[in-house]
Short mmCIF file of all heavy atoms in Angstrom, two decimals:
data_model
loop_
_atom_site.label_atom_id
_atom_site.label_comp_id
_atom_site.label_asym_id
_atom_site.label_seq_id
_atom_site.Cartn_x
_atom_site.Cartn_y
_atom_site.Cartn_z
N SER A 160 -211.46 40.71 167.73
CA SER A 160 -210.07 40.33 167.56
C SER A 160 -209.66 39.44 168.72
O SER A 160 -210.27 39.45 169.78
CB SER A 160 -209.18 41.57 167.49
OG SER A 160 -209.15 42.25 168.72
N GLU A 161 -208.63 38.66 168.49
CA GLU A 161 -208.12 37.75 169.51
C GLU A 161 -206.61 37.69 169.38
O GLU A 161 -206.07 37.67 168.27
CB GLU A 161 -208.71 36.36 169.33
CG GLU A 161 -208.27 35.37 170.37
CD GLU A 161 -208.98 34.03 170.25
OE1 GLU A 161 -209.70 33.79 169.27
OE2 GLU A 161 -208.80 33.22 171.15
N GLU A 169 -206.10 37.62 175.04
CA GLU A 169 -207.01 38.76 174.99
C GLU A 169 -208.04 38.58 173.89
O GLU A 169 -207.72 38.17 172.78
CB GLU A 169 -206.24 40.05 174.75
CG GLU A 169 -207.12 41.28 174.76
CD GLU A 169 -206.35 42.58 174.70
OE1 GLU A 169 -205.11 42.57 174.74
OE2 GLU A 169 -207.00 43.63 174.61
N LEU A 170 -209.29 38.88 174.22
CA LEU A 170 -210.40 38.89 173.27
C LEU A 170 -211.02 40.28 173.29
O LEU A 170 -211.18 40.86 174.36
CB LEU A 170 -211.50 37.90 173.68
CG LEU A 170 -211.18 36.43 173.59
CD1 LEU A 170 -212.29 35.63 174.29
CD2 LEU A 170 -211.08 35.99 172.15
N GLU A 171 -211.37 40.79 172.13
CA GLU A 171 -212.03 42.10 172.08
C GLU A 171 -213.12 42.06 171.02
O GLU A 171 -212.91 41.58 169.91
CB GLU A 171 -211.04 43.21 171.76
CG GLU A 171 -211.70 44.57 171.78
CD GLU A 171 -210.72 45.72 171.64
OE1 GLU A 171 -209.54 45.55 171.95
OE2 GLU A 171 -211.17 46.78 171.20
N TYR A 172 -214.28 42.58 171.41
CA TYR A 172 -215.41 42.70 170.51
C TYR A 172 -215.76 44.18 170.42
O TYR A 172 -215.83 44.86 171.45
CB TYR A 172 -216.62 41.93 171.04
CG TYR A 172 -216.35 40.46 171.24
CD1 TYR A 172 -215.92 39.97 172.46
CD2 TYR A 172 -216.50 39.57 170.18
CE1 TYR A 172 -215.65 38.63 172.65
CE2 TYR A 172 -216.24 38.22 170.36
CZ TYR A 172 -215.82 37.76 171.60
OH TYR A 172 -215.55 36.43 171.77
N SER A 173 -215.97 44.67 169.21
CA SER A 173 -216.30 46.08 169.03
C SER A 173 -217.42 46.22 168.02
O SER A 173 -217.57 45.39 167.13
CB SER A 173 -215.08 46.85 168.49
OG SER A 173 -214.01 46.78 169.39
N SER A 187 -216.92 48.78 172.90
CA SER A 187 -216.01 47.64 172.84
C SER A 187 -216.05 46.92 174.18
O SER A 187 -216.27 47.53 175.23
CB SER A 187 -214.59 48.07 172.50
OG SER A 187 -214.03 48.84 173.52
N PHE A 188 -215.86 45.63 174.12
CA PHE A 188 -215.81 44.77 175.29
C PHE A 188 -214.53 43.96 175.18
O PHE A 188 -214.28 43.36 174.13
CB PHE A 188 -217.02 43.84 175.35
CG PHE A 188 -216.95 42.83 176.45
CD1 PHE A 188 -217.30 43.19 177.73
CD2 PHE A 188 -216.53 41.54 176.20
CE1 PHE A 188 -217.21 42.26 178.77
CE2 PHE A 188 -216.44 40.61 177.22
CZ PHE A 188 -216.80 40.98 178.50
N SER A 189 -213.71 43.96 176.21
CA SER A 189 -212.48 43.17 176.15
C SER A 189 -212.33 42.30 177.40
O SER A 189 -212.80 42.65 178.48
CB SER A 189 -211.26 44.06 175.97
OG SER A 189 -211.06 44.88 177.10
N PHE A 190 -211.70 41.17 177.19
CA PHE A 190 -211.39 40.21 178.25
C PHE A 190 -209.92 39.88 178.10
O PHE A 190 -209.47 39.50 177.01
CB PHE A 190 -212.24 38.95 178.08
CG PHE A 190 -211.84 37.83 178.99
CD1 PHE A 190 -212.25 37.81 180.30
CD2 PHE A 190 -211.03 36.80 178.52
CE1 PHE A 190 -211.89 36.78 181.15
CE2 PHE A 190 -210.66 35.76 179.37
CZ PHE A 190 -211.09 35.75 180.67
#
Side-chain angles (χ1 to χ4, degrees):
S160 68
E161 182 174 8
E169 183 173 354
L170 291 169
E171 183 173 336
Y172 301 93
S173 299
S187 66
F188 173 81
S189 66
F190 171 80

